[in-house]
Structure formats: C-alpha cells, structure tokens
Amino acid sequence: DFLFYNASSTLCFTNFDKISNLSKLDLTCLFDLLNSSIGFNVLYASGKNGSLEPFYGFTKENITYTRDDKLVSSIMKYGISASILPINNLYIGLSYDLIYDFANSYSYLGNQMAINLNYQIFTDLQVNGKLTTYNGKDENANNTEIVISVLLAL
C-alpha cells in the first residue's frame, strides 16, 4: 500500500498590484488488493474575494462537464475518486466532484460524476468507455455524455 500526494500553487501578479491564485492538492492511496486506489482532490482558483483577483489561466481548460464550459476561474472543486482492476486488462474508474463558485461569494454550483472503463483486448487494441454527468443549480448547464472509443496502434 502506498500514499501519493501532489500539491501545487501558482500565483499570478498583474502589475504587482493584483494577485490571483490557482492551487491543487491530490492525495491517492494505492492498494495491492485488485490494484485498487482511492483518491481525494481539491482545486481552488481565486475569485474576486478579499485581496485576491479572479484567476485566469493562459490556456482554456474546462474543469466541469457542464454545457457552458466553466473555466478555471473563481471556483472551488472537491473530489473523490476510486479505481480498480478486477480482471487482467480491465480498468474501472469512478469520480465524484462538488463544485462551488467564488465569483462574488461562496455558493454551490453543482456536482459531477464520471465512470471510465478501459479494456485492453490485445497489446495494440483498446476499447474505452466514459460516462460523465453534471447536475447543477442552473438546469441549463446540466449535461450527460457517453463516449466510446477504440484505439488501434499500428
């Protein structure tokens, strides 16, 4: 059994009078039993609160499964995850997140869930399936997607 962690924080200074922050923390515990894992993660991107300004990244990165592409800014996300390899070459992963808005005050935005299946049929052939769903305070942002893909290495 192993415990892994990753902690990072980025500060952005604009003309040395405006400061914004993006911080992440990931904790993952790996177990020998069925090659399983359990994880916890937190993501914080500052909003217009206190002395901090809203964080805006250099590139567009979506962190939710919403229809309206919520970017990494003015947001707090708490997540748990688990994975297991019940049989050889089959990976099953689950994740669940709670998302809060920091635009002006701390308020609940929604929750999301993902289920990932990955089966390696042969060394060069892999089938993947992913179900994602987002349920939010704003019903127009709710979204469910199913993606099935096949990877063939030649």
Side-chain angles (χ1 to χ4, degrees):
D1 297 350
F2 297 97
L3 177 65
F4 293 94
Y5 68 92
N6 183 15
S8 65
S9 187
T10 301
L11 291 175
C12 179
F13 296 92
T14 307
N15 298 328
F16 293 102
D17 63 343
K18 296 180 181 177
I19 301 171
S20 60
N21 176 253
L22 174 67
S23 296
K24 296 181 183 181
L25 173 65
D26 293 305
L27 298 171
T28 304
C29 189
L30 301 175
F31 302 101
D32 291 331
L33 178 66
L34 298 175
N35 293 318
S36 56
S37 71
I38 295 176
F40 172 75
N41 60 74
V42 177
L43 179 133
Y44 167 77
S46 63
K48 183 74 176 146
N49 44 7
S51 60
L52 294 175
E53 294 292 320
F55 179 85
Y56 297 106
F58 296 113
T59 58
K60 183 179 177 180
E61 179 185 357
N62 295 331
I63 60 166
T64 65
Y65 304 128
T66 63
R67 287 187 186 167
D68 60 357
D69 294 332
K70 177 71 175 155
L71 299 178
V72 181
S73 181
S74 306
I75 202 162
M76 185 83 161
K77 182 173 87 165
Y78 304 95
I80 57 172
S81 61
S83 69
I84 190 169
L85 288 113
I87 61 172
N88 217 9
N89 300 332
L90 177 64
Y91 166 85
I92 302 171
L94 305 167
S95 65
Y96 180 80
D97 301 313
L98 293 173
I99 301 148
Y100 293 85
D101 185 25
F102 266 107
N104 296 309
S105 64
Y106 190 72
S107 62
Y108 176 76
L109 277 181
N111 62 72
Q112 64 186 17
M113 182 184 71
I115 300 172
N116 297 297
L117 299 172
N118 181 323
Y119 185 62
Q120 182 123 17
I121 300 169
F122 303 110
T123 304
D124 299 340
L125 181 61
Q126 188 178 84
V127 177
N128 302 298
K130 184 174 187 176
L131 167 70
T132 61
T133 185
Y134 176 85
N135 297 301
K137 186 171 67 174
D138 176 11
E139 289 186 15
N140 293 327
N142 290 354
N143 192 28
T144 298
E145 293 182 355
I146 297 173
V147 177
I148 297 173
S149 60
V150 176
L151 177 66
L152 177 62
L154 300 173

